[in-house]
């Protein structure tokens, strides 16, 4: 897929957002083959308006996807890590590496994916956390059932 990505200055407090308008291109793909899903998403944001006292947003975000299906509805793959490059600073502002373990269950007829993920950020620049743990429950509503 190809399309635009946009950033709007909607934060309720200055500390929570950039106070900038930004836009740029986004591209991505996902491919499947026997027991493996892989892909990459890329988003690029460049400021064009907003609070002149705030730093511009000029970043690229990469999200690699690797997911391997295991027996009994288990899967192992990368976490939803966002590898971020700051063009203005000329350096990586987030460089995480993460892993996720998931299990697909059914509650009655409703499929639910439970997952746990861990990430370590190799670029600890006080913007992103050094360690991230998350647990997720995704309620799935397949079409045509």
């Amino acid at each position: 897929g190809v399309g635009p990505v946009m950033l709007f200055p909607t934060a309720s407090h200055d500390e929570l957002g950039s106070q900038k308008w930004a836009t740029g291109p986004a591209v991505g793909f996902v491919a499947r083959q026997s027991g493996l899903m892989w892909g990459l998403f890329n988003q690029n944001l460049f400021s064009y308006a907003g609070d002149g006292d705030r730093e511009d947003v000029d970043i690229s975000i990469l999200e690699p996807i690797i997911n391997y299906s295991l027996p009994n509805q288990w899967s192992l793959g990368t976490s939803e890590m966002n590898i971020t490059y700051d063009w203005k600073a000329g350096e990586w502002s987030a460089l995480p590496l993460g892993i996720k373990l998931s299990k697909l269950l059914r509650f009655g007829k409703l499929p639910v994916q439970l997952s746990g993920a861990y990430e370590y950020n190799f670029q600890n620049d006080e913007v992103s956390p050094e360690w991230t743990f998350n647990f997720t429950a995704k309620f799935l509503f397949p079409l045509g059932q």
Side-chain angles (χ1 to χ4, degrees):
V2 176
V5 62
M6 298 182 79
L7 175 68
F8 302 101
T10 60
S12 58
H13 295 288
D14 286 349
E15 299 82 21
L16 299 177
S18 67
Q19 300 300 317
K20 293 288 190 172
W21 294 82
T23 191
V27 298
F29 75 93
V30 175
R32 290 180 187 244
Q33 54 194 72
S34 181
L36 179 67
M37 180 175 70
W38 60 281
L40 180 69
F41 288 105
N42 171 245
Q43 300 178 65
N44 302 277
L45 289 164
F46 302 100
S47 296
Y48 63 88
D51 187 339
D53 294 334
R54 303 292 296 268
E55 287 189 37
D56 284 342
V57 174
D58 297 318
I59 61 171
S60 291
I61 303 167
L62 298 171
E63 185 178 340
I65 299 168
I66 300 173
N67 194 50
Y68 185 71
S69 296
L70 300 170
N72 301 316
Q73 303 294 313
W74 286 91
S75 64
L76 182 66
T78 56
S79 63
E80 284 86 12
M81 56 192 164
N82 289 311
I83 301 167
T84 307
Y85 188 80
D86 185 331
W87 291 99
K88 186 171 178 132
E91 64 183 19
W92 296 100
S93 60
L95 198 54
L97 180 59
I99 190 166
K100 178 173 72 171
L101 181 64
S102 301
K103 171 74 173 164
L104 183 63
L105 303 170
R106 289 196 178 271
F107 293 104
K109 292 186 176 184
L110 180 66
V112 178
Q113 183 184 51
L114 301 176
S115 62
Y118 165 77
E119 285 181 13
Y120 179 78
N121 185 5
F122 289 93
Q123 179 60 29
N124 187 10
D125 64 355
E126 300 178 19
V127 174
S128 302
E130 187 174 2
W131 298 290
T132 303
F133 297 93
N134 76 42
F135 300 95
T136 305
K138 287 184 187 175
F139 297 89
L140 307 172
F141 301 96
L143 299 176
Q145 287 194 1

